[in-house]
Amino acid sequence: MSSPAEVRTLATPQELFAAAAEEVIHAANDAMAKRGRFAIALSGGSTPKSLNTLLATNARNSLPWDRMFFFFGDERHVPPTDPESNYGMAEETLLSKVPVPKTNVFRVPAENPDAAAAAAEYDQMLRKFFALSPGEFPRFDLILLGMGPDGHTASLFPGTTALQEKSRLVVANWVEKFKTDRITLTLPVLNTARCVVFLVSGTEKAAALHEVLETDASGEQYPSKLVHPADGSLIWLVDRAAASGLKLTQAN
Ligand code: 6PG
């Protein structure tokens, strides 16, 4: 049964990242205790950089990195060495700074010029890691997501075909405004997670956050609205600037 979303407003971006680090550590320790491993999907974009740095400094010696498995919620259609690469950002700000075995990091093979083939390969990687039967979706312990000023999340952009996907785990999604394909986890995967945490910082996100949390605008317009884990928790960590457009939501 999906529990109502929790919206937590933090006064500053620093407090936002500290709260996010706590959620990651809590979810990791909980997963370790119950299942002996922790499977997390990292978010791309710029917001997670400070969270990654915090985890690399404060949790370097306190997390069981050898039992933690890292995936990516989405990827740009670029090689891992490209400055636009979400994997590249995570490697630089977190994965290269903590004792996580390279074999525990599953990046999207986005250097493949054929984005659909890269998506299919990543789909297979997920099916193998989670030992899925046909029709089954992977149950991540934690999925970290961001939100764009247009209400997109991962690479699920307004009005794009990926929003309709019901069976594949990963798809290549053409994003007209960027004239490029993105490779993204699909909504069934996001909504099968045990916990989804959104990190949203900055005034440029305020209008979309209001639409996502407080209006009946469609998920087609604001795809972040379509993220509701069916049997898991949904936590919105937002800073005061991003929350400046909220009218109804009681922040706790
Ligand atoms: C990406 C992300 C994307 C991101 C939002 C917010 O690859 O860009 O996965 O969904 O989370 O665009 O990006 P910022 O954190 O940079 O504002």
Side-chain angles (χ1 to χ4, degrees):
M1 224 313 282
S2 84
S3 45
E6 177 191 349
V7 181
R8 218 182 301 158
T9 301
L10 293 308
T12 63
Q14 291 64 38
E15 288 180 40
L16 172 74
F17 300 123
E22 270 171 40
E23 288 299 331
V24 173
I25 293 165
H26 169 75
N29 291 329
D30 183 63
M32 283 306 145
K34 291 179 181 150
R35 290 172 291 280
R37 73 176 192 183
F38 176 60
I40 178 173
L42 298 175
S43 170
S46 56
T47 304
K49 290 181 183 169
S50 306
L51 165 62
N52 292 353
T53 305
L54 211 51
L55 288 169
T57 42
N58 298 2
R60 190 183 188 292
N61 305 317
S62 60
L63 280 174
W65 298 99
D66 64 329
R67 301 297 304 146
M68 296 172 69
F69 299 87
F70 292 86
F71 293 81
F72 293 83
D74 70 322
E75 187 56 280
R76 289 83 181 273
H77 193 202
V78 294
T81 50
D82 187 288
E84 282 294 303
S85 168
N86 286 338
Y87 163 76
M89 181 274 278
E91 177 66 15
E92 193 189 322
T93 56
L94 175 64
L95 303 170
S96 62
K97 299 185 182 333
V98 295
V100 62
K102 290 246 168 293
T103 48
N104 288 22
V105 178
F106 300 83
R107 69 175 181 81
V108 177
E111 65 274 22
N112 184 333
D114 178 342
E121 193 179 332
Y122 203 53
D123 185 300
Q124 283 311 312
M125 264 190 233
L126 286 167
R127 290 179 191 282
K128 187 159 175 268
F129 178 83
F130 287 96
L132 301 178
S133 328
E136 225 187 335
F137 292 103
R139 190 154 163 73
F140 279 96
D141 297 300
L142 178 61
I143 296 182
L144 297 175
L145 292 174
M147 184 192 76
D150 60 358
H152 83 263
T153 190
S155 279
L156 299 166
F157 285 82
T160 56
T161 54
L163 299 179
Q164 316 311 328
E165 183 61 40
K166 299 281 183 284
S167 58
R168 289 176 290 173
L169 312 182
V170 188
V171 294
N173 193 27
W174 178 257
V175 183
E176 183 57 29
K177 68 175 177 182
F178 299 144
K179 297 265 182 275
T180 184
D181 273 307
R182 289 280 192 95
I183 296 146
T184 185
L185 296 185
T186 58
L187 284 163
V189 175
L190 303 182
N191 289 331
T192 304
R194 287 192 173 84
C195 180
V196 170
V197 173
F198 276 92
L199 287 186
V200 186
S201 173
T203 42
E204 76 279 8
K205 310 281 176 77
L209 192 64
H210 164 61
E211 294 290 348
V212 169
L213 295 178
E214 298 185 323
T215 78
D216 55 12
S218 74
E220 187 73 16
Q221 282 175 288
Y222 297 93
S224 295
K225 280 176 93 83
L226 301 170
V227 180
H228 264 296
D231 177 15
S233 52
L234 175 60
I235 303 170
W236 286 83
L237 297 178
V238 303
D239 65 13
R240 196 164 285 156
S244 57
L246 296 181
K247 301 176 180 48
L248 312 167
T249 308
Q250 288 312 311
N252 47 15

